Structure formats: C-alpha cells, structure tokens
Amino acid sequence: MFDLSGKVAFVTGGSRGIGRATAEVLAEQGAHVVLTYVGNEEQARATVEAIVGAGRKAEAVRVDVGDGRAAEQAIADAAKRLGRLDVLVANAGVAIDGLLLRIKDEDFDKILSVNLKGAVACARAAIKVMMRAKTGRVIFVSSVVGEMGNAGQTAYAASKAALLGVAKSLAKEYASRSITVNAVAPGYVDTDMTSVMTAEMRDKTVAGIPLGRTGTTREIATAIAYLASDEAAYITGQTLRVNGGMYM
C-alpha cells in the first residue's frame, strides 16, 4: 500500500511542519524526495539528514516559491537531474493575519504570491514534466480556513480557497494524461504557524473540533501520501479534509 518506490517527489516548504512530515512519509514509502526551504537551511539539512539516516533518499534546495520563475526552474532542474518527477506537493505557505481594514497591501500581495501564485507556478512546471510521462500527482495543501473562513485571515483564506478552484480546473485539463490534481485541507494542526495562538484561542478552537483534539503533522502527511499513491489513481479534482470534523 502507498508504495512510491522509484518515484520522485517534490515538496515545497519541506523543512518543517506539515512539509517536513510529508517529506518523511513519502520517503518512507520509497520516494526520492526533493524538499525546498527559504531561510532556515539548518532545519532543511536536519530534515534531509533524518531521512537519509533512516536509509531513504532526500535532498534540499533553496527556493522562494513566491518567485514563480525560480520555483519553476528548481522543479525543472530536479526533474532533469533525477530523470523524472512523479509527485508535486505544493505546501509552502505564509500567514500574515490582520483584519481587512488593517492588513497592508504588501502583506496581502505576499500571501497571494506564495500561497497561490507560487503553488500554481510549481504546478505548471511539474505538469510539463508529467505530461511527457503521461502520469503524475499534483497535491495542493489548502486549509480548513479556505472553506469556512476565519476572522482576521481574509487574505490567507482567499489564497487557500483559490487553490481548491485551481485543483478542480487542472484536474479537468490534464486528466487525459493520467495526471491527477487534488487538494488536502488540514484543520487545526500543531505547527510553527499555529504556535502563535494564545492558550485561550487554542482552547476555543479545540472546543469546536468534534474529535476533541488537534491534528498531527503526520496525519496530514499520510493523507497526502495516499493521494500520491497508485491507490488514489481514480481520485482527481477533490479536496480531502483532514480536520477532525471541524468542518464538514
């Protein structure tokens, strides 16, 4: 099940949080993982060392997906160097919270550049390679906030909601080449991005989750691994919600 032996997976934002867990799980299933990072080379190196130390294959490349051309070039280079590209996990993202009347235009632009435009640029580059192979998996990491909204996160919600429409459109465009395109929408997960929440905010959020707890990064990563596998070959244009029942 979920055997990815011999396949190459490109994971953006793979040095920490959901990205790191995804890189580790895909590598465990046999994939050669190429993960990206922006600023924290130490974390990226630690992730690669942990994967390689477990007898798996991984490497890290520095690229800011907010720079679409750089992101596309990084994917093209990885595919050329490794001879193939089977899986893209567009996970890199930023969150800059603020009420609509207070958020700065430059912050709004940055969120869209990384979360949306960067993800689309990566998909464009990956699909170019996958079309030649007539197979592939593209997986966008969205968010429960993209479906249910959240006060103070208008820009973030917009970027994550847009990915769901992108996934559906690309799924229709490239199904004839056996390329599936899906999204995973995590709920409240313990990561660096959510660690800034106060205890009061955290308790209030958990109270609204039917399963009564937060999710783990590995639980999200396992869902991504499923969509990347041959077992999910007949699933495309879908959003897999992994949120403990927070949004149904």
Side-chain angles (χ1 to χ4, degrees), residues 53-212:
R56 307 299 183 180
K57 297 179 180 179
E59 57 187 87
V61 295
R62 186 183 185 281
V63 60
D64 180 359
V65 299
D67 181 342
R69 290 185 179 180
E72 290 189 43
Q73 190 62 54
I75 289 175
D77 289 346
K80 182 177 181 179
R81 184 174 68 256
L82 299 172
R84 61 190 297 163
L85 177 63
D86 304 278
V87 180
L88 167 70
V89 181
N91 166 75
V94 296
I96 304 173
D97 297 344
L99 297 175
L100 179 61
L101 298 185
R102 296 179 181 176
I103 191 167
K104 299 176 182 178
D105 285 346
E106 52 264 36
D107 289 339
F108 209 128
D109 289 342
K110 181 177 181 179
I111 291 170
L112 294 181
S113 291
V114 175
N115 297 5
L116 177 57
K117 294 177 67 177
V120 171
C122 289
R124 181 189 295 118
I127 288 172
K128 285 179 181 178
V129 179
M130 294 172 180
M131 284 182 66
R132 293 194 291 271
K134 295 185 178 180
T135 186
R137 302 281 185 269
V138 176
I139 303 157
F140 294 109
V141 178
S142 180
S143 169
V144 66
V145 174
E147 294 194 287
M148 63 184 289
N150 193 36
Q153 291 192 306
T154 298
Y156 183 76
S159 68
K160 292 299 187 178
L163 288 177
L164 306 184
V166 170
K168 292 177 181 180
S169 298
L170 294 183
K172 291 184 176 182
E173 288 184 16
Y174 298 103
S176 64
R177 298 300 182 98
S178 296
I179 298 171
T180 66
V181 186
N182 294 288
V184 171
Y188 182 76
V189 180
D190 286 320
T191 64
D192 291 347
M193 193 176 288
T194 58
S195 65
V196 298
M197 296 176 69
T198 65
E200 182 180 358
M201 293 168 62
R202 177 189 173 90
D203 291 344
K204 183 177 180 180
T205 299
V206 172
I209 302 174
L211 284 181

Side-chain angles (χ1 to χ4, degrees), residues 29-53:
Q29 302 308 310
H32 182 132
V33 178
V34 180
L35 61 93
T36 74
Y37 68 97
V38 178
N40 199 322
E41 182 178 356
E42 185 177 346
Q43 282 188 323
R45 188 185 303 115
T47 301
V48 169
E49 289 176 353
I51 293 173
V52 173

